[in-house]
Amino acid sequence: MGNKTPLYDTHVAAGGKMVDFGGWDMPLNYGSQLDEHHVVRQDAGMFDVSHMTVVDVAGAEAKAFLRHLLANDIARLKDSGKALYGCMLKPDGGVIDDLITYFLDDEHYRLVVNAATRDKDIAWIMAQAGKFDVTVTERPELAMIAIQGPNARAKVNGLLSADTAAAAAALKVFFATVDGDWFIARTGYTGEDGYEIILPEGDAVDFWNRLVAAGVRPCGLGARDTLRLEAGMNLYGSDMDESTSPWSTGLAWTVALEPADRDFIGRAALEKEKADGVSMKRVGLVLEGKGVLRNHQRVVVAGVGEGEITSGGFSPTLGVGIALARVPKATGDRCQVDVRGKLLDCRVVTPPFVRNGQSCL
Amino acid sequence: MSNLPADLKYTASHEWIRDEGDGVVTIGITDHAQELLGDLVYVELPEIGREVDAEEAIAVVESVKAASDVYAPIAGEVVAVNEALSDSPEVINSDAYGAGWLLKMKIEDGALDDMLDVDAYQAVLDDEG
């Protein structure tokens, strides 16, 4: 048996189909993954993401440490509560993990990293922290619930105290507010508005049940994956890993090369790769006929070369096969994908495929 | 619990077979199979007239989760396919033994005798736990 979140028994009681995910027993769905997908696009759904790892970084050199550790520049964060997405790189530019950093003040930051990479992330962060005056504290006693969808924030706000609800309602996109042990962020992994709420594990079941009563539907990891794929968001381990750099995986926007004197891990390798010329790029694919695109299928670009699907699936919102793929830089707006020996025509697009309930195609 | 009609034959790879008489059988995937796959979103069916060997892959059912081959339980010739699945593959989830049928085959006399009956298939499911 794997690790269990505080909501494990609640998932089982609700008919959740439990599967292993990065060493955690998590719900894949509670019946229909498609219904769960649609409810997030159209109303409000929620995900137990307590398996994700919360790490607090504090100390006089917290800012200097994170400016060294991360490829994005947290010095860009000026307003308390503001979040920044980015990567932690190896010296050779490979991606150790992608994460969100929340700025609380110059000496206090909160990181949220992936569950499947927890051990190596913590070991890496600790090893790098040695040279800085910081304390790094993992917070396994915290649970995390993502409530997503056009009606998600209104339904959550109705369950909060008046003061907290007002603070949450006033949050701009990609900002968080702290309320005692609770941390409410207007972030997500679905392409819809919503919150990700970090709360004490002892509060998780009660809050989950109140959300259910408020009409928020429990959703599993299956819907989480199709939602993030439609939103064009990378999944660590599929769309990027330690063998790929941000340049070829659609993450260039998360790398801050300016200011030029910021010495972050991986910088020299990224600059060299850029100077030498990056050969691959990340694109979105839309299958023109019927069918489903899958991870690792071969992409054929006539006259140019070959690539590979890094995340493929079926878009419930659009009703077609879609994928994220790594293809040669010179790829134009057409390609083919090898689906069980047949080359099927695809359109090459810039993700996202769906945002805020609407098709982007 | 999976629903298992007693009048059908089954395979250990989770296909069901209904004897329509005159050497024609209808083939689909079992309720257990659709439950494992999850929401179906695409079905690839064979050409009518195709001759297949027993245990040859004849169709592909794809769910949100995965693509899965469907195997010919018996050798024969494909004589019909369920065209309606092209637009609504989800009927396999809701009605695996009825509207969710995949194809019909013409087979040799007596070829059905080696197939699993409902009790034998139930034993397969029990073994899988």
Side-chain angles (χ1 to χ4, degrees):
Chain A
M1 293 304 279
N3 295 308
K4 292 178 172 54
T5 77
L7 289 159
Y8 175 85
D9 292 337
T10 308
H11 300 320
V12 172
K17 187 179 283 184
M18 307 305 285
V19 295
D20 173 71
F21 181 81
W24 292 77
D25 289 342
M26 301 299 290
L28 181 66
N29 61 63
Y30 300 82
S32 169
Q33 176 177 330
L34 285 179
D35 291 352
E36 292 166 18
H37 180 106
H38 292 309
V39 88
V40 171
R41 288 275 177 255
Q42 295 160 13
D43 183 9
M46 62 179 161
F47 306 85
D48 176 14
V49 284
S50 303
H51 58 311
M52 294 191 76
T53 310
V54 179
V55 179
D56 287 340
V57 175
E61 291 187 314
K63 184 175 184 177
F65 168 56
L66 292 174
R67 293 193 76 202
H68 175 62
L69 182 74
L70 305 175
N72 211 340
D73 188 2
I74 51 104
R76 291 175 174 182
L77 304 174
K78 305 290 185 199
D79 299 313
S80 182
K82 177 77 175 151
L84 186 73
Y85 172 77
C87 296
M88 208 160 49
L89 305 179
K90 294 194 301 179
D92 72 0
V95 180
I96 294 172
D97 201 6
D98 64 331
L99 66 154
I100 291 183
T101 305
Y102 295 94
F103 166 69
L104 302 175
D105 62 48
D106 281 343
E107 298 189 0
H108 294 89
Y109 294 84
R110 170 164 283 183
L111 316 182
V112 178
V113 306
N114 283 306
T117 49
R118 174 188 169 276
D119 292 348
K120 72 164 187 176
D121 287 355
I122 300 282
W124 178 257
I125 294 168
M126 290 294 189
Q128 306 313 315
K131 293 161 261 178
F132 293 86
D133 178 13
V134 292
T135 55
V136 176
T137 312
E138 199 196 335
R139 303 292 304 274
E141 78 283 12
L142 296 176
M144 186 162 168
I145 299 171
I147 306 101
Q148 303 277 297
N151 300 326
R153 293 177 64 227
K155 289 185 177 184
V156 173
N157 292 346
L159 302 178
L160 302 172
S161 69
D163 287 352
T164 310
L171 283 175
K172 287 182 274 185
V173 172
F174 240 59
F175 270 85
T177 181
V178 179
D179 178 25
D181 296 337
W182 284 48
F183 184 94
I184 301 171
R186 192 175 171 190
T187 52
Y189 194 47
T190 61
E192 297 298 323
D193 200 356
Y195 294 129
E196 291 177 301
I197 299 182
I198 299 171
L199 68 171
E201 58 187 350
D203 293 348
V205 170
D206 175 64
F207 187 54
W208 182 274
N209 289 335
R210 291 169 62 211
L211 286 163
V212 170
V216 180
R217 178 164 168 165
C219 300
L221 293 181
R224 187 167 162 82
D225 192 52
T226 48
L227 288 158
R228 72 91 195 166
L229 178 60
E230 286 187 344
M233 294 171 172
N234 279 14
L235 172 64
Y236 189 81
S238 293
D239 302 302
M240 74 291 202
D241 59 25
E242 293 193 4
S243 71
T244 54
S245 85
W247 298 145
S248 58
T249 52
L251 295 169
W253 65 279
T254 72
V255 177
L257 291 178
E258 298 294 331
D261 63 350
R262 183 174 68 98
D263 172 31
F264 68 86
I265 300 168
R267 175 177 201 116
L270 290 193
E271 286 178 336
K272 179 172 189 310
E273 190 188 350
K274 197 168 188 178
D276 292 348
V278 180
S279 61
M280 304 293 275
K281 65 178 178 182
R282 188 202 74 155
V283 296
L285 304 183
V286 178
L287 184 60
E288 304 230 292
K290 287 181 185 270
V292 185
L293 299 173
R294 300 287 180 189
N295 295 17
H296 307 303
Q297 284 172 339
R298 188 169 60 103
V299 180
V300 179
V301 190
V304 174
E306 296 194 352
E308 184 180 322
I309 287 181
T310 55
S311 281
F314 180 81
S315 163
T317 305
L318 304 173
V320 294
I322 59 170
L324 297 176
R326 193 146 58 239
V327 298
K329 199 89 182 178
T331 301
D333 57 5
R334 314 278 316 164
C335 71
Q336 292 179 303
V337 174
D338 182 344
V339 179
R340 294 185 290 276
K342 284 182 215 155
L343 289 177
L344 304 184
D345 291 331
C346 290
R347 197 144 60 90
V348 178
V349 302
T350 303
F353 304 92
V354 178
R355 197 44 74 88
N356 295 319
Q358 301 299 313
S359 169
C360 302
L361 299 181
Chain B
M1 280 310 291
S2 290
N3 158 28
L4 286 186
D7 59 330
L8 302 182
K9 298 283 192 176
Y10 298 89
T11 69
S13 50
H14 310 294
E15 289 89 12
W16 57 260
I17 307 122
R18 175 180 289 120
D19 187 355
E20 308 287 4
D22 294 334
V24 173
V25 293
T26 302
I27 293 163
I29 65 169
T30 65
D31 200 39
H32 174 76
Q34 70 77 18
E35 214 172 285
L36 281 184
L37 282 163
D39 296 299
L40 288 165
V41 292
Y42 177 62
V43 180
E44 194 177 292
L45 295 168
E47 302 273 311
I48 290 173
R50 184 171 145 196
E51 300 272 357
V52 293
D53 290 329
E55 290 171 38
E56 188 179 332
I58 41 168
V60 180
V61 288
E62 296 211 40
S63 71
V64 280
K65 228 163 59 182
S68 180
D69 285 321
V70 178
Y71 299 95
I74 338 167
E77 180 193 347
V78 176
V79 295
V81 296
N82 186 357
E83 304 281 0
L85 295 179
S86 170
D87 288 327
S88 43
E90 67 277 4
V91 301
I92 296 174
N93 293 115
S94 56
D95 191 8
Y97 302 111
W101 66 278
L102 294 177
L103 54 101
K104 294 182 194 288
M105 284 174 62
K106 183 96 182 156
I107 61 165
E108 295 288 317
D109 283 352
L112 267 178
D113 298 348
D114 296 337
M115 298 295 111
L116 305 179
D117 64 15
V118 67
D119 293 334
Y121 181 61
Q122 182 64 56
V124 169
L125 295 183
D126 292 345
D127 275 357
E128 286 188 2

